[in-house]
Short mmCIF file of all heavy atoms in Angstrom, two decimals:
data_model
loop_
_atom_site.label_atom_id
_atom_site.label_comp_id
_atom_site.label_asym_id
_atom_site.label_seq_id
_atom_site.Cartn_x
_atom_site.Cartn_y
_atom_site.Cartn_z
N SER V 164 -15.28 8.85 15.15
CA SER V 164 -15.86 8.29 16.38
C SER V 164 -14.78 7.94 17.38
O SER V 164 -14.99 8.04 18.59
CB SER V 164 -16.70 7.05 16.05
OG SER V 164 -15.91 5.97 15.62
N VAL V 165 -13.61 7.56 16.89
CA VAL V 165 -12.49 7.28 17.78
C VAL V 165 -12.05 8.55 18.49
O VAL V 165 -11.81 8.58 19.70
CB VAL V 165 -11.30 6.67 17.00
CG1 VAL V 165 -10.06 6.58 17.88
CG2 VAL V 165 -11.67 5.30 16.46
N LYS V 166 -11.96 9.64 17.73
CA LYS V 166 -11.52 10.90 18.32
C LYS V 166 -12.52 11.43 19.33
O LYS V 166 -12.14 11.99 20.38
CB LYS V 166 -11.29 11.94 17.21
CG LYS V 166 -10.73 13.25 17.74
CD LYS V 166 -10.40 14.21 16.62
CE LYS V 166 -9.81 15.50 17.17
NZ LYS V 166 -9.48 16.46 16.10
N LYS V 167 -13.80 11.25 19.06
CA LYS V 167 -14.84 11.78 19.95
C LYS V 167 -14.99 10.97 21.24
O LYS V 167 -15.39 11.49 22.27
CB LYS V 167 -16.19 11.82 19.22
CG LYS V 167 -16.26 12.86 18.12
CD LYS V 167 -17.63 12.81 17.43
CE LYS V 167 -17.74 13.83 16.32
NZ LYS V 167 -19.05 13.76 15.63
N ALA V 168 -14.69 9.67 21.17
CA ALA V 168 -14.92 8.80 22.32
C ALA V 168 -13.89 9.04 23.41
O ALA V 168 -12.79 9.54 23.16
CB ALA V 168 -14.88 7.34 21.87
N ASP V 169 -14.26 8.68 24.64
CA ASP V 169 -13.36 8.82 25.77
C ASP V 169 -12.53 7.55 25.95
O ASP V 169 -13.05 6.43 25.86
CB ASP V 169 -14.15 9.08 27.06
CG ASP V 169 -14.86 10.43 27.04
OD1 ASP V 169 -14.31 11.36 26.42
OD2 ASP V 169 -15.95 10.52 27.62
N ASP V 170 -11.24 7.74 26.21
CA ASP V 170 -10.36 6.63 26.59
C ASP V 170 -10.34 5.50 25.56
O ASP V 170 -10.31 4.32 25.92
CB ASP V 170 -10.77 6.06 27.95
CG ASP V 170 -10.69 7.10 29.05
OD1 ASP V 170 -9.77 7.94 28.99
OD2 ASP V 170 -11.55 7.09 29.94
N VAL V 171 -10.35 5.84 24.28
CA VAL V 171 -10.23 4.82 23.24
C VAL V 171 -8.77 4.69 22.84
O VAL V 171 -8.10 5.68 22.55
CB VAL V 171 -11.08 5.18 22.01
CG1 VAL V 171 -10.74 4.25 20.84
CG2 VAL V 171 -12.55 5.07 22.34
N LYS V 172 -8.28 3.46 22.85
CA LYS V 172 -6.91 3.18 22.43
C LYS V 172 -6.96 2.66 21.00
O LYS V 172 -7.59 1.65 20.72
CB LYS V 172 -6.27 2.15 23.35
CG LYS V 172 -6.13 2.62 24.80
CD LYS V 172 -5.54 1.54 25.68
CE LYS V 172 -5.43 1.99 27.12
NZ LYS V 172 -4.92 0.90 28.00
N LEU V 173 -6.27 3.36 20.10
CA LEU V 173 -6.28 3.01 18.68
C LEU V 173 -4.92 2.44 18.28
O LEU V 173 -3.88 3.03 18.57
CB LEU V 173 -6.58 4.25 17.83
CG LEU V 173 -6.52 4.06 16.31
CD1 LEU V 173 -7.67 3.18 15.84
CD2 LEU V 173 -6.54 5.42 15.61
N ALA V 174 -4.93 1.30 17.61
CA ALA V 174 -3.71 0.73 17.05
C ALA V 174 -3.67 1.03 15.55
O ALA V 174 -4.70 0.99 14.88
CB ALA V 174 -3.67 -0.77 17.29
N VAL V 175 -2.49 1.35 15.05
CA VAL V 175 -2.28 1.58 13.63
C VAL V 175 -1.02 0.87 13.19
O VAL V 175 -0.12 0.62 13.99
CB VAL V 175 -2.17 3.09 13.29
CG1 VAL V 175 -3.47 3.82 13.60
CG2 VAL V 175 -1.01 3.73 14.05
N LEU V 176 -0.96 0.53 11.92
CA LEU V 176 0.23 -0.10 11.36
C LEU V 176 1.32 0.95 11.22
O LEU V 176 1.12 1.98 10.58
CB LEU V 176 -0.11 -0.71 10.01
CG LEU V 176 0.95 -1.58 9.34
CD1 LEU V 176 1.17 -2.85 10.14
CD2 LEU V 176 0.53 -1.91 7.92
N ALA V 177 2.47 0.69 11.81
CA ALA V 177 3.59 1.63 11.72
C ALA V 177 3.96 1.85 10.25
O ALA V 177 4.22 0.90 9.52
CB ALA V 177 4.80 1.10 12.49
N GLY V 178 3.95 3.09 9.83
CA GLY V 178 4.24 3.41 8.44
C GLY V 178 3.04 3.34 7.53
O GLY V 178 3.15 3.66 6.35
N GLY V 179 1.88 2.92 8.05
CA GLY V 179 0.67 2.82 7.24
C GLY V 179 -0.02 4.16 7.08
O GLY V 179 0.17 5.08 7.87
N ILE V 180 -0.88 4.25 6.09
CA ILE V 180 -1.56 5.50 5.80
C ILE V 180 -2.47 5.92 6.94
O ILE V 180 -2.67 7.11 7.21
CB ILE V 180 -2.34 5.38 4.47
CG1 ILE V 180 -2.74 6.75 3.95
CG2 ILE V 180 -3.53 4.45 4.60
CD1 ILE V 180 -3.27 6.71 2.53
N GLU V 181 -3.01 4.94 7.69
CA GLU V 181 -3.91 5.26 8.80
C GLU V 181 -3.16 5.95 9.94
O GLU V 181 -3.76 6.73 10.69
CB GLU V 181 -4.60 4.00 9.31
CG GLU V 181 -5.54 3.37 8.30
CD GLU V 181 -4.82 2.55 7.25
OE1 GLU V 181 -3.64 2.18 7.48
OE2 GLU V 181 -5.43 2.30 6.20
N ALA V 182 -1.87 5.67 10.07
CA ALA V 182 -1.08 6.36 11.10
C ALA V 182 -1.04 7.86 10.81
O ALA V 182 -1.14 8.69 11.72
CB ALA V 182 0.34 5.79 11.13
N GLY V 183 -0.92 8.21 9.53
CA GLY V 183 -0.94 9.62 9.14
C GLY V 183 -2.30 10.25 9.35
O GLY V 183 -2.40 11.39 9.79
N TYR V 184 -3.37 9.50 9.04
CA TYR V 184 -4.70 10.02 9.29
C TYR V 184 -4.88 10.36 10.76
O TYR V 184 -5.40 11.43 11.11
CB TYR V 184 -5.76 8.98 8.90
CG TYR V 184 -5.90 8.68 7.43
CD1 TYR V 184 -6.51 7.50 7.01
CD2 TYR V 184 -5.44 9.56 6.45
CE1 TYR V 184 -6.67 7.20 5.66
CE2 TYR V 184 -5.59 9.27 5.10
CZ TYR V 184 -6.20 8.09 4.72
OH TYR V 184 -6.36 7.81 3.38
N ALA V 185 -4.48 9.42 11.63
CA ALA V 185 -4.65 9.62 13.07
C ALA V 185 -3.87 10.84 13.55
O ALA V 185 -4.36 11.63 14.36
CB ALA V 185 -4.21 8.38 13.83
N GLU V 186 -2.67 11.00 13.02
CA GLU V 186 -1.84 12.15 13.42
C GLU V 186 -2.47 13.46 12.94
O GLU V 186 -2.56 14.43 13.69
CB GLU V 186 -0.43 12.01 12.85
CG GLU V 186 0.50 13.14 13.27
CD GLU V 186 1.92 12.94 12.76
OE1 GLU V 186 2.24 11.81 12.34
OE2 GLU V 186 2.68 13.92 12.80
N ASP V 187 -2.90 13.48 11.68
CA ASP V 187 -3.50 14.69 11.13
C ASP V 187 -4.78 15.09 11.87
O ASP V 187 -5.11 16.27 11.97
CB ASP V 187 -3.82 14.50 9.65
CG ASP V 187 -2.57 14.49 8.78
OD1 ASP V 187 -1.49 14.85 9.28
OD2 ASP V 187 -2.67 14.12 7.59
N MET V 188 -5.50 14.08 12.37
CA MET V 188 -6.76 14.36 13.08
C MET V 188 -6.55 14.65 14.55
O MET V 188 -7.50 14.98 15.26
CB MET V 188 -7.71 13.17 12.91
CG MET V 188 -8.18 12.95 11.48
SD MET V 188 -9.22 11.47 11.28
CE MET V 188 -10.71 12.00 12.15
N GLY V 189 -5.31 14.52 15.02
CA GLY V 189 -5.02 14.80 16.42
C GLY V 189 -5.57 13.75 17.37
O GLY V 189 -5.89 14.06 18.53
N ILE V 190 -5.64 12.51 16.93
CA ILE V 190 -6.14 11.44 17.79
C ILE V 190 -5.06 11.04 18.78
O ILE V 190 -3.91 10.78 18.39
CB ILE V 190 -6.57 10.22 16.95
CG1 ILE V 190 -7.75 10.60 16.05
CG2 ILE V 190 -6.93 9.03 17.83
CD1 ILE V 190 -8.16 9.50 15.08
N SER V 191 -5.41 10.99 20.04
CA SER V 191 -4.46 10.62 21.07
C SER V 191 -4.61 9.14 21.41
O SER V 191 -5.56 8.48 20.99
CB SER V 191 -4.67 11.47 22.32
OG SER V 191 -5.98 11.32 22.83
N GLY V 192 -3.67 8.62 22.19
CA GLY V 192 -3.73 7.23 22.61
C GLY V 192 -3.51 6.25 21.48
O GLY V 192 -4.08 5.16 21.46
N VAL V 193 -2.65 6.63 20.52
CA VAL V 193 -2.39 5.78 19.37
C VAL V 193 -1.17 4.89 19.63
O VAL V 193 -0.13 5.36 20.10
CB VAL V 193 -2.15 6.61 18.09
CG1 VAL V 193 -1.81 5.72 16.91
CG2 VAL V 193 -3.39 7.45 17.79
N THR V 194 -1.30 3.61 19.32
CA THR V 194 -0.22 2.65 19.45
C THR V 194 0.15 2.12 18.08
O THR V 194 -0.72 1.74 17.30
CB THR V 194 -0.64 1.46 20.34
OG1 THR V 194 -0.96 1.94 21.65
CG2 THR V 194 0.48 0.42 20.43
N SER V 195 1.45 2.09 17.76
CA SER V 195 1.91 1.55 16.49
C SER V 195 2.22 0.07 16.64
O SER V 195 2.81 -0.35 17.64
CB SER V 195 3.16 2.29 16.01
OG SER V 195 2.86 3.63 15.68
N VAL V 196 1.83 -0.72 15.64
CA VAL V 196 2.13 -2.15 15.64
C VAL V 196 2.91 -2.46 14.37
O VAL V 196 2.75 -1.79 13.35
CB VAL V 196 0.84 -3.00 15.70
CG1 VAL V 196 0.12 -2.77 17.01
CG2 VAL V 196 -0.09 -2.69 14.53
N PRO V 197 3.78 -3.47 14.41
CA PRO V 197 4.64 -3.74 13.26
C PRO V 197 3.98 -4.45 12.10
O PRO V 197 4.45 -4.37 10.97
CB PRO V 197 5.75 -4.61 13.86
CG PRO V 197 5.09 -5.31 15.00
CD PRO V 197 4.13 -4.31 15.57
N ASP V 198 2.87 -5.15 12.37
CA ASP V 198 2.22 -5.90 11.30
C ASP V 198 0.75 -6.12 11.64
O ASP V 198 0.30 -5.84 12.76
CB ASP V 198 2.92 -7.23 11.05
CG ASP V 198 3.10 -8.05 12.32
OD1 ASP V 198 2.11 -8.24 13.06
OD2 ASP V 198 4.23 -8.50 12.59
N ALA V 199 0.01 -6.62 10.66
CA ALA V 199 -1.43 -6.78 10.82
C ALA V 199 -1.78 -7.81 11.89
O ALA V 199 -2.74 -7.64 12.64
CB ALA V 199 -2.06 -7.18 9.49
N GLN V 200 -1.02 -8.90 11.95
CA GLN V 200 -1.29 -9.93 12.95
C GLN V 200 -1.21 -9.36 14.36
O GLN V 200 -2.07 -9.62 15.21
CB GLN V 200 -0.29 -11.08 12.80
CG GLN V 200 -0.51 -12.22 13.79
CD GLN V 200 -1.81 -12.96 13.60
OE1 GLN V 200 -2.13 -13.34 12.48
NE2 GLN V 200 -2.57 -13.17 14.67
N THR V 201 -0.19 -8.54 14.61
CA THR V 201 -0.04 -7.92 15.92
C THR V 201 -1.21 -6.99 16.20
O THR V 201 -1.69 -6.89 17.33
CB THR V 201 1.29 -7.15 16.02
OG1 THR V 201 2.37 -8.05 15.73
CG2 THR V 201 1.49 -6.56 17.41
N GLY V 202 -1.67 -6.28 15.17
CA GLY V 202 -2.81 -5.39 15.35
C GLY V 202 -4.05 -6.15 15.78
O GLY V 202 -4.77 -5.74 16.69
N MET V 203 -4.33 -7.27 15.12
CA MET V 203 -5.48 -8.08 15.50
C MET V 203 -5.33 -8.63 16.92
O MET V 203 -6.29 -8.59 17.71
CB MET V 203 -5.67 -9.24 14.52
CG MET V 203 -6.89 -10.09 14.82
SD MET V 203 -7.22 -11.38 13.59
CE MET V 203 -5.82 -12.48 13.92
N ASP V 204 -4.15 -9.12 17.24
CA ASP V 204 -3.91 -9.65 18.58
C ASP V 204 -4.08 -8.57 19.65
O ASP V 204 -4.61 -8.84 20.73
CB ASP V 204 -2.51 -10.25 18.67
CG ASP V 204 -2.33 -11.48 17.81
OD1 ASP V 204 -3.35 -12.07 17.40
OD2 ASP V 204 -1.16 -11.85 17.54
N THR V 205 -3.65 -7.36 19.32
CA THR V 205 -3.75 -6.25 20.27
C THR V 205 -5.20 -5.95 20.61
O THR V 205 -5.54 -5.69 21.77
CB THR V 205 -3.05 -5.00 19.69
OG1 THR V 205 -1.67 -5.30 19.47
CG2 THR V 205 -3.15 -3.82 20.65
#
Side-chain angles (χ1 to χ4, degrees):
S164 69
V165 171
K166 184 175 181 180
K167 290 179 180 178
D169 294 328
D170 300 324
V171 169
K172 297 178 182 177
L173 176 69
V175 296
L176 188 67
I180 195 169
E181 294 80 18
Y184 292 160
E186 183 177 345
D187 287 348
M188 294 176 70
I190 296 175
S191 59
V193 177
T194 299
S195 293
V196 296
D198 51 51
Q200 181 66 49
T201 303
M203 182 175 70
D204 293 343
T205 299

